[in-house]
Amino acid sequence: MSSYTIPEATGASIRPKNLLKHKYFPITDFGAREDAAPALNTEAVNNAISAAAREGGTVVVPKGTFHLYTILLKSNVNLYLSEGSVLAAARTDISHSYEKQSGEGGNYREPEVNLYVGLQDHGHSYFSNSLIYGADLENIMIYGKGLITGGRFDEESGILEYVLQGGDPQEPISREAKGHQEEWFGNKGIALVRCENVVLEDFSVTIGGHFAIIAQGCENLYANHVLLDTMRDAFDIDCCQNVTVRNTICNSLTDDGLCLKASFGAGVFKPLTNVLIEDCTVCGYDAGSVYAGEYTRDKLIALDRCGPTGRVKFGTEATCGYHLVTIRRVKFDRSRGFCMESVDCSSLTDVIFEDCVLDNVSSSPIFLRAGDRARFPVTGNVSSSAYPAADTNVRLDDRNWVLPNERAYHCYPARRYAPHYNRTKTVTVDGHSSFEIVDPERPVTCNPANYEEIDGHYYLKVWQSESYAQKNTSSRGSSRQNNNTQHPEAHGTYVADLSRELQEKDLPLYANAIGCSALATVANVLIRNVTITNADPRYPVLLMGLTDSHMKNIVLENISVEYRGGLTMEHAVEQRQLNTEWKFSQFHAKERVQNLPWLVNSFFSKGEGLLPRADWDAQKECWRDNPYNVPELPDAYPEPSNWGILPAYGLFAKHVDGLTLRNIRFSCKVPDGRHVCVFDDVKDVCVDGLEACCAKDLAPIATVTDHYRRHTNAENVPEQPYFTTSVTGLEIHRPLLLSEGKENCPPRAVHEKEACVREVEITAPAPGTPTDSLYSLPTVPCQETGYHYEVDTDNYPLPLTVYRPYIRPVAPAKVRAGELFQVILSVGSPASDISDEASTAGIYNELLRPNYSVKGMISSLRASCENLPEGAEFDAGAMRFRWTPTKEQQGEHRIVFAVDDGLMPEKMQMKLTVEA
């Protein structure tokens, strides 16, 4: 274990007092009115900002609601939102997107040109179509207790309309065109691009579009006491440096809460560095309900079919890397867990996450991922600006990452390569759900653009600079960042290098050029003093590196995780798709239906990841369970559900060097039938204090030796050599304290390492690996090859610890003494409340394959009230609460109701204030 001490971030130096300006410019002095047309209000506000910019000042939004389009910020101008003021997004004509809209006479600013579109999502490439927009500015402050909203409430229908859109306009067909195809609309609340000295304080944003706030390439940014309650990302801090966020609430059920990114969206290679986040809350309730104080929760999963999002996350965009981030005293409430992803060739280092509390966690409580999506610019072989690049270019996949070989663009020559897999073989395991895997007959496609055949020999094309002869480069990545990431090279061309002959069997490795020699890295992470309760039983703490890029120096210390439990090793073998339909009514929105995945989520677990974990037994000529043979999936969009159900409930660590587990406690509300921890290709593991629930006949720790490992990205390329990886340097410093998870059952101390650890050997490639001369036995467990489930999916029991019954929340209420207060509570039961309607399978403009659904199961529920006030009545059968409080009962009362399905109670607290 390294003795390296992780430094703490210091954040921004700017504060509100540094930017206060006492010359005021009320927008009403420039013609803004509540009843004015949005275009007129837009002109008035922008005229006020222009006037203030001439000498420096503060533009004031008075109490009232002002509908408008894009506000253009300017340097040395503040925007003050008076208490009771509302800047509201105006409608625009939308006829070709997933949502239609009739306009109010104007539109948002046209999306700008971004030469580097495609290296990040559309939302990170175009910013000017925001409600509030500023680029290349300095010394700006938005503050005050007003509201910025992209929503519009219809009093007659009771529906909250999302005026700012969560989706994006279509991307252009040329890098040199503006960011749309004839139609655009507003889809961000506040966008700040390459700005310096920024303060955000005291205001709220609701229904903020794709991003409520996005800061792109900014420096010295301070945010304090901001409330963001929205339907997609709440607060994105992308490639920014010297940032502090304090006392801020970020609510987003369907996307991330506080999101740190490192994209190329600002058009420069700029790592995210020195970010300090303190005393914040992230959560995943219905959009708009937190600002309203109601915290409704009828929607159970996000659009991606994992649970409520709303987390603190690094990624996914990670092209430029992250360094020096400190996060402390953050509360996670009904959200996914803490998430760190580095998957786009750069590094993620020096992170401290401490003194945090997470409750009702809907995914892995802690997820660290080094992957190789490799979304990094690479210079192509032609100068055309057509977007995306032609299929004759240096990439077969993700051609929108290819830059023209033209002087207007930074130059990133190919430094390494990845294969292209043909996932065209459709298989089914249960006869109900089907999916695509690598075609075993034609698993790969070569890309002749990256090599040249001369007299029957193949030679790699390498970059020949105009200014000097290009040195040969390795086709495999190194563990350190190459200088070409920060200093683009001189332009040139690709030519065949006669010293770089390729074997014909290796040609598939060169299908996709990557402009960086490095694989992504994660190193120097300290996570300590963290309490996690009520976590989804499907996803353990998950540390997933790469075969060729191990995560390094990871310390988990003083951590307690309570899972709901209840899963088995059978679930980890089968990877079963078990879905039901759920009708919900989100906060002031129309009823909709969503498809609940009770085990594997096929939105993120794809291809070979959906196959059962089973190997072929040649002697018995049948499939043999092997839950430890977990596929790598290095290029998958990173999410804990990528790998389905794993053989550990507490922690699964793969490809890690230097892992310390100190004072760790894993518990389960319901006993779980899987290991506590599984280690695979992990070196130097120190277990110094581990207390956990574990079945008596099961080793708490499993270590994996895999004899069929391949290099990163080459897992499914035929005839690539296999090698062996194992766990080394495992030290257990104190006896493990193990209990069976039963009441009145004290933990037992296990001293002998042999009793703590089961050694597992993998003697077959991961399921779905195409056969070749190195391994010729079957590798695809599915109906076609004789694999079948013992119980048909239609009859398979739902794991009731995954989606729990709940009592719908009651908004805080005030009641006068002597007056009757009554309420009838409503219960949602995902296991038994099955919708007859099918979910609409789509995310914004993307259509998805419908999922097979089962009919659910009968669930018997018992209701109770724990602390009934004197004189109050609760009829559990009718779910009715009645109370006429007396004068002597004035004050605040918190009444707890519970519903129990026999596994565990689920509680809801109602707040009543009795007044005279």
Side-chain angles (χ1 to χ4, degrees):
M1 177 58 59
S2 170
S3 60
Y4 177 79
T5 300
I6 299 174
E8 295 189 8
T10 56
S13 61
I14 196 75
R15 292 295 184 271
K17 64 181 181 181
N18 304 128
L19 295 180
L20 283 174
K21 298 174 179 65
H22 299 293
K23 187 170 181 60
Y24 300 106
F25 299 79
I27 63 172
T28 49
D29 288 357
F30 293 81
R33 303 191 316 273
E34 288 192 77
D35 60 353
L40 293 177
N41 278 338
T42 305
E43 182 180 8
V45 174
N46 287 329
N47 285 341
I49 291 173
S50 296
R54 286 192 281 271
E55 49 190 303
T58 298
V59 172
V60 177
V61 182
K63 182 178 180 180
T65 299
F66 302 88
H67 294 94
L68 34 64
Y69 298 105
T70 304
I71 295 173
L72 300 175
L73 301 176
K74 294 196 174 185
S75 293
N76 303 307
V77 175
N78 296 338
L79 183 63
Y80 177 72
L81 305 172
S82 304
E83 189 167 4
S85 67
V86 181
L87 291 178
R91 299 185 184 96
T92 190
D93 290 319
I94 306 175
S95 57
H96 301 296
S97 187
Y98 68 102
E99 290 281 359
K100 308 299 185 285
Q101 197 174 98
S102 296
E104 297 178 272
N107 200 352
Y108 296 83
R109 190 175 175 89
E110 186 178 11
E112 66 272 36
V113 173
N114 189 331
L115 299 179
Y116 300 99
V117 59
L119 298 176
Q120 55 284 320
D121 293 344
H122 186 287
H124 291 275
S125 298
Y126 303 106
F127 309 97
S128 59
N129 57 321
S130 302
L131 184 56
I132 299 176
Y133 170 62
D136 302 300
L137 306 178
E138 63 180 3
N139 306 325
I140 53 176
M141 179 162 64
I142 304 174
Y143 69 118
K145 295 185 178 181
L147 171 67
I148 299 164
T149 184
R152 185 83 62 89
F153 185 71
D154 187 298
E155 296 284 354
E156 185 175 332
S157 67
I159 298 297
L160 177 62
E161 178 188 359
Y162 296 177
V163 177
L164 288 181
Q165 302 294 290
D168 303 308
Q170 287 185 294
E171 290 184 332
I173 59 174
S174 168
R175 291 187 174 276
E176 296 173 5
K178 294 196 173 184
H180 62 90
Q181 292 186 31
E182 297 186 4
E183 179 179 86
W184 73 91
F185 42 81
N187 73 338
K188 301 174 189 68
I190 300 173
L192 303 170
V193 186
R194 298 180 300 271
C195 294
E196 187 173 356
N197 301 332
V198 177
V199 170
L200 309 171
E201 188 168 56
D202 288 338
F203 61 89
S204 300
V205 181
T206 60
I207 316 302
H210 195 148
F211 307 99
I213 300 177
I214 180 168
Q216 185 85 32
C218 295
E219 296 190 17
N220 205 17
L221 185 153
Y222 178 81
N224 185 39
H225 281 293
V226 177
L227 170 61
L228 308 173
D229 186 1
T230 189
M231 71 284 204
R232 289 205 66 186
D233 281 13
F235 195 170
D236 271 34
I237 300 166
D238 190 350
C239 282
C240 295
Q241 299 180 351
N242 306 321
V243 176
T244 296
V245 182
R246 287 188 173 127
N247 306 304
T248 289
I249 298 173
C250 298
N251 179 63
S252 178
L253 192 157
T254 55
D255 224 319
D256 297 304
L258 263 169
C259 199
L260 307 179
K261 294 185 177 179
S263 79
F264 211 81
V268 293
F269 190 94
K270 186 174 185 177
L272 178 138
T273 58
N274 191 25
V275 176
L276 175 63
I277 299 173
E278 296 179 318
D279 303 300
C280 294
T281 296
V282 292
C283 50
Y285 293 94
D286 290 348
S289 72
V290 171
Y291 179 79
E294 297 191 25
Y295 295 83
T296 57
R297 46 171 292 181
D298 220 32
K299 186 174 183 178
L300 298 183
I301 56 175
L303 293 175
D304 60 24
R305 300 179 69 233
C306 280
T309 315
R311 61 191 162 189
V312 176
K313 175 185 174 182
F314 290 72
T316 299
E317 283 78 4
T319 305
C320 301
Y322 328 77
H323 311 285
L324 190 58
V325 178
T326 299
I327 301 167
R328 58 169 63 100
R329 298 186 302 276
V330 175
K331 178 183 177 183
F332 293 62
D333 180 17
R334 194 179 189 251
S335 73
R336 298 179 199 176
F338 177 54
C339 177
M340 293 174 52
E341 300 170 351
S342 182
V343 296
D344 294 326
C345 305
S346 293
S347 57
L348 195 167
T349 63
D350 294 342
V351 176
I352 299 174
F353 181 80
E354 62 184 0
D355 303 321
C356 294
V357 175
L358 295 78
D359 182 51
N360 199 0
V361 181
S362 60
S363 187
S364 172
I366 299 168
F367 176 47
L368 276 61
R369 172 59 165 160
D372 198 38
R373 181 178 66 166
R375 196 175 190 174
F376 197 94
V378 60
T379 298
N381 54 23
V382 296
S383 61
S384 170
S385 62
Y387 177 81
D391 58 9
T392 56
N393 219 299
V394 296
R395 291 188 64 89
L396 296 182
D397 302 319
D398 301 306
R399 290 177 284 117
N400 48 341
W401 305 350
V402 179
L403 298 180
N405 187 2
E406 207 272 333
R407 293 184 182 277
Y409 298 82
H410 296 313
C411 182
Y412 290 95
R415 294 301 182 194
R416 62 182 177 93
Y417 300 84
H420 164 83
Y421 291 118
N422 298 316
R423 287 190 168 91
T424 55
K425 172 69 173 178
T426 301
V427 297
T428 183
V429 180
D430 62 357
H432 302 298
S433 299
S434 60
F435 52 96
E436 282 68 45
I437 63 170
V438 171
D439 187 340
E441 302 298 324
R442 186 176 171 270
V444 293
T445 296
C446 298
N447 186 1
N450 292 327
Y451 58 86
E452 186 172 340
E453 182 181 1
I454 302 176
D455 297 330
H457 296 265
Y458 301 94
Y459 300 96
L460 182 67
K461 290 183 178 179
V462 300
W463 186 252
Q464 179 70 59
S465 171
E466 294 176 351
S467 57
Y468 60 92
Q470 176 67 41
K471 292 182 179 180
N472 294 340
T473 57
S474 171
S475 64
R476 288 215 178 273
S478 66
S479 61
R480 300 295 297 172
Q481 189 71 30
N482 189 294
N483 285 338
N484 71 335
T485 59
Q486 298 184 27
H487 304 290
E489 294 201 7
H491 281 78
T493 188
Y494 293 101
V495 297
D497 184 345
L498 300 185
S499 69
R500 299 292 304 278
E501 185 172 358
L502 305 177
Q503 297 298 311
E504 188 169 3
K505 72 178 181 65
D506 293 335
L507 294 181
L509 298 173
Y510 297 87
N512 292 300
I514 301 168
C516 178
S517 62
L519 291 167
T521 60
V522 175
N524 305 327
V525 178
L526 172 60
I527 300 175
R528 64 186 174 190
N529 307 330
V530 178
T531 300
I532 300 160
T533 53
N534 198 23
D536 191 309
R538 293 174 293 180
Y539 308 114
V541 172
L542 194 51
L543 314 177
M544 291 293 265
L546 291 167
T547 303
D548 295 328
S549 183
H550 285 204
M551 293 194 288
K552 297 180 179 179
N553 192 23
I554 311 298
V555 177
L556 306 182
E557 181 178 81
N558 301 331
I559 296 174
S560 174
V561 187
E562 175 198 65
Y563 296 96
R564 292 196 290 274
L567 299 192
T568 67
M569 206 64 87
E570 178 180 273
H571 295 128
V573 169
E574 290 187 343
Q575 304 303 314
R576 189 187 291 259
Q577 296 186 54
L578 185 66
N579 311 305
T580 61
E581 303 289 0
W582 168 255
K583 180 176 284 189
F584 67 96
S585 179
Q586 200 173 1
F587 180 74
H588 290 295
K590 297 176 182 177
E591 279 194 336
R592 295 181 184 272
V593 177
Q594 54 186 184
N595 187 259
L596 302 182
W598 289 79
L599 288 169
V600 172
N601 177 7
S602 60
F603 185 91
F604 286 119
S605 183
K606 296 181 182 295
E608 300 77 56
L610 289 170
L611 288 169
R613 309 278 155 81
D615 306 331
W616 184 256
D617 188 324
Q619 290 185 334
K620 297 182 179 179
E621 294 188 334
C622 66
W623 292 101
R624 177 184 59 211
D625 293 348
N626 187 356
Y628 309 95
N629 202 352
V630 178
E632 295 290 329
L633 310 178
D635 60 342
Y637 182 95
E639 197 68 31
S641 51
N642 288 151
W643 300 274
I645 310 301
L646 292 163
Y649 80 84
L651 181 144
F652 187 94
K654 190 172 187 178
H655 309 313
V656 183
D657 290 352
L659 171 61
T660 297
L661 304 176
R662 183 178 294 116
N663 299 330
I664 307 298
R665 183 176 186 272
F666 296 122
S667 63
C668 296
K669 290 185 174 184
V670 175
D672 198 284
R674 297 169 293 163
H675 299 287
V676 178
C677 302
V678 171
F679 301 127
D680 184 349
D681 191 20
V682 179
K683 297 176 175 60
D684 300 326
V685 189
C686 171
V687 181
D688 186 13
L690 174 62
E691 181 179 349
C693 295
C694 185
K696 203 167 187 178
D697 58 349
L698 186 68
I701 296 173
T703 60
V704 176
T705 296
D706 190 339
H707 297 289
Y708 279 85
R709 193 81 78 199
R710 278 174 169 162
H711 287 292
T712 297
N713 288 319
E715 293 86 0
N716 294 313
V717 178
E719 306 303 331
Q720 293 302 303
Y722 290 107
F723 53 89
T724 299
T725 62
S726 60
V727 175
T728 60
L730 171 60
E731 297 181 358
I732 300 177
H733 287 229
R734 285 185 274 166
L736 305 190
L737 295 177
L738 304 177
S739 65
E740 295 181 50
K742 300 176 181 177
E743 292 186 12
N744 304 317
C745 182
R748 65 186 191 278
V750 180
H751 299 263
E752 301 79 12
K753 185 176 180 180
E754 293 75 15
C756 297
V757 179
R758 176 189 172 188
E759 297 180 356
V760 175
E761 288 201 53
I762 294 177
T763 57
T769 304
T771 57
D772 56 18
S773 66
L774 304 177
Y775 189 88
S776 58
L777 298 178
T779 61
V780 182
C782 64
Q783 279 193 345
E784 185 179 328
T785 59
Y787 184 92
H788 66 277
Y789 295 145
E790 291 296 326
V791 178
D792 186 77
T793 296
D794 278 331
N795 301 318
Y796 199 79
L798 300 177
L800 296 178
T801 54
V802 174
Y803 299 110
R804 301 293 300 141
Y806 64 97
I807 302 174
R808 293 183 173 89
V810 176
K814 295 180 180 180
V815 56
R816 291 181 182 273
E819 293 184 359
L820 173 66
F821 174 85
Q822 67 175 345
V823 62
I824 296 178
L825 303 178
S826 173
V827 175
S829 178
S832 56
D833 297 347
I834 307 301
S835 172
D836 293 330
E837 300 176 37
S839 61
T840 53
I843 295 184
Y844 304 112
N845 289 317
E846 180 184 1
L847 294 178
L848 304 174
R849 172 187 284 169
N851 297 287
Y852 182 79
S853 296
V854 299
K855 298 303 181 183
M857 56 195 296
I858 297 174
S859 180
S860 178
L861 304 176
R862 181 173 58 86
S864 62
C865 181
E866 292 185 354
N867 53 345
L868 202 63
E870 185 176 350
E873 301 174 355
F874 178 61
D875 183 338
M879 295 296 290
R880 183 174 60 242
F881 172 82
R882 294 166 53 90
W883 184 31
T884 304
T886 65
K887 292 181 179 180
E888 290 74 22
Q889 292 175 308
Q890 290 181 45
E892 183 180 293
H893 298 260
R894 295 179 181 269
I895 303 160
V896 177
F897 301 95
V899 62
D900 195 331
D901 62 350
L903 286 179
M904 65 190 92
E906 301 295 337
K907 300 179 180 181
M908 186 276 293
Q909 180 177 266
M910 179 176 68
K911 177 182 173 182
L912 291 180
T913 302
V914 179
E915 299 177 334

